Structure formats: C-alpha cells, structure tokens
Amino acid sequence: EPEVTQTPSHQVTQMGQEVILRCVPISNHLYFYWYRQILGQKVEFLVSFYNNEISEKSEIFDDQFSVERPDGSNFTLKIRSTKLEDSAMYFCASRIGLSNQPQHFGDGTRLSIL
Amino acid sequence: DAKTTQPPSMDCAEGRAANLPCNHSTISGNEYVYWYRQIHSQGPQYIIHGLKNNETNEMASLIITEDRKSSTLILPHATLRDTAVYYCIVRLDSGNTPLVFGKGTRLSVIA
C-alpha cells in the first residue's frame, strides 16, 4: 500500500540554524500538509499546499517557515532560524483530489533543537 | 478548537469489541466525521470516515446517529496492537480544510 515517507526520522540542530524536513507524498495525491506535535500536546496544523502554492496556514506558520515542492515528488518544510520551541514531531500528510477523501500521514520527523 | 468531545481514556479487554464514543453536537450538514488513531508518537493513521450513513471497512465500523450529533467507532475484536489514542474529527467537505485534532481517547487494550 502506498505511503507517505519522511526523512530524516530524527534531526538534531543547534538553535539558530536552518533545517529542512523532507516528505515524499503518495504519488497521485494533489494536496499536501504539514502538522506538528510538541511532546505531550495535540497535533497542530501548520500549512496546506495545492497547485504549487500555499492554500492555508496557521498562526504558527510565521515568516520563519516555508514550504516547497521542488521537483514534483518531494515536499519540504524549511525553518530558517530554529528556536528551542520548534522542537517537536513534524508530520507530513497528503490527500488525493476529492475533498472528502482522507489525509494520509507519514511517521514524522522528530526535530530536537539544542 | 476541535468541535468534538471524547472521553479521555477507555479500557477494553483483548478480543472484545471496543466502542469509542464521540459527540459533535454542532456539526453542520457538509461536515464529515473522520477517525484517526496515533500509536505512540507515530503519525496519525486514518481509520474511517462518514457523512451520515454507517460505514464499515477492514479496520472498523462507524455508527453515526440519525441527527448526526454523535458517533461511535467500533473495533470489533480489539487486540493489544489497537492500544492507541483515537481522534474523532469533524471536517468541512470544502477545499483544503485542515484537520483539527483534539486530545482524543486513549484506548488501552488489556490482555
């Protein structure tokens, strides 16, 4: 069964450094998402992406964050200058075209900021 | 904020049916009910979704009340591997609306 894959599984970065989290969505999916989950807290929406542009973003997704689909298969989340509070699990999700169809999630990247 | 209310935790004996309730009294006509689960810190796993009819797939059944204000997820024969946090989510059938997760129900399946 096709699945969303995320790399790396764990990323450790010094505060202030840039980090790029990578996702390969399911191949025929058209909608892409990033969520995050701080340890012990709820899963929170960051951003959605369709047709090469951001569709929606939450208050969390400030100027430090950006997303890109550089080559038609990868979907990346970049954090420009990481802060301690960016430490979290980051989940990528994708969905096929029909709006009521479910989002499918990857297993996440654990980001640890030192 | 999440539009659903779920009990924080439940226990179920292995091999028995697990019935997880969810209240969504403010649901609107074009909002679907989705169920996901999260095992440890893995990514949320899609289980099932529905609009107003009951649904069944290889994982579970979803029973939605006639007034759509509540639903129940049924795992017919719970196993230890079903121990997880289960999320009931109401989502508008429109465009790219994100999922809004609440705290879910922590289901513990006991041998």
Side-chain angles (χ1 to χ4, degrees):
Chain A
E1 185 173 323
E3 57 183 30
V4 176
T5 57
Q6 291 186 243
T7 56
S9 56
H10 191 189
Q11 173 83 44
V12 181
T13 301
Q14 291 287 333
M15 185 172 59
Q17 296 295 304
E18 175 183 286
V19 67
I20 297 175
L21 309 182
R22 302 181 192 280
C23 169
V24 179
I26 295 172
S27 64
N28 60 344
H29 284 194
L30 301 178
Y31 296 84
F32 314 109
Y33 307 81
W34 285 100
Y35 292 79
R36 80 172 186 190
Q37 186 175 32
I38 295 170
L39 186 64
Q41 298 188 24
K42 294 186 272 189
V43 177
E44 302 173 288
F45 167 72
L46 292 177
V47 66
S48 59
F49 192 86
Y50 169 71
N51 200 24
N52 272 325
E53 59 183 30
I54 290 173
S55 307
E56 270 192 64
K57 58 184 181 179
S58 71
E59 291 178 354
I60 303 168
F61 193 88
D62 61 21
D63 292 344
Q64 292 299 312
F65 291 88
S66 62
V67 289
E68 193 177 32
R69 188 154 162 80
D71 56 13
S73 61
N74 290 284
F75 180 51
T76 62
L77 174 70
K78 180 169 30 177
I79 309 174
R80 255 179 280 282
S81 177
T82 50
K83 304 188 278 285
L84 293 176
E85 53 264 39
D86 294 327
S87 295
M89 285 291 294
Y90 287 81
F91 297 110
C92 172
S94 69
R95 178 171 67 81
I96 203 164
L98 295 173
S99 60
N100 66 13
Q101 291 303 299
Q103 296 173 30
H104 294 274
F105 286 76
D107 274 339
T109 293
R110 178 173 299 283
L111 178 63
S112 300
I113 308 300
L114 304 179
Chain B
D1 283 350
K3 292 183 64 174
T4 61
T5 304
Q6 299 178 253
S9 64
M10 292 181 64
D11 292 338
C12 178
E14 189 178 20
R16 305 298 291 268
N19 295 276
L20 292 93
C22 179
N23 283 318
H24 31 80
S25 58
T26 60
I27 194 169
S28 62
N30 55 353
E31 287 182 314
Y32 280 73
V33 180
Y34 293 80
W35 283 84
Y36 284 79
R37 72 182 182 183
Q38 190 174 26
I39 298 171
H40 296 297
S41 289
Q42 293 177 22
Q45 178 189 21
Y46 166 73
I47 301 172
I48 199 166
H49 74 289
L51 182 62
K52 49 185 162 184
N53 297 325
N54 297 338
E55 303 287 345
T56 295
N57 63 19
E58 65 279 3
M59 288 182 70
S61 295
L62 173 60
I63 309 298
I64 302 174
T65 57
E66 196 168 335
D67 64 7
R68 301 187 69 238
K69 293 185 177 182
S70 65
S71 61
T72 301
L73 179 74
I74 301 172
L75 307 178
H77 305 286
T79 71
L80 298 177
R81 286 182 296 179
D82 292 321
T83 293
V85 178
Y86 287 76
Y87 300 100
C88 169
I89 300 169
V90 162
R91 178 184 172 270
L92 189 66
D93 176 19
S94 175
N96 221 359
T97 311
L99 296 168
V100 179
F101 288 80
K103 295 182 180 180
T105 295
R106 180 172 299 278
L107 175 69
S108 299
V109 180
I110 303 165

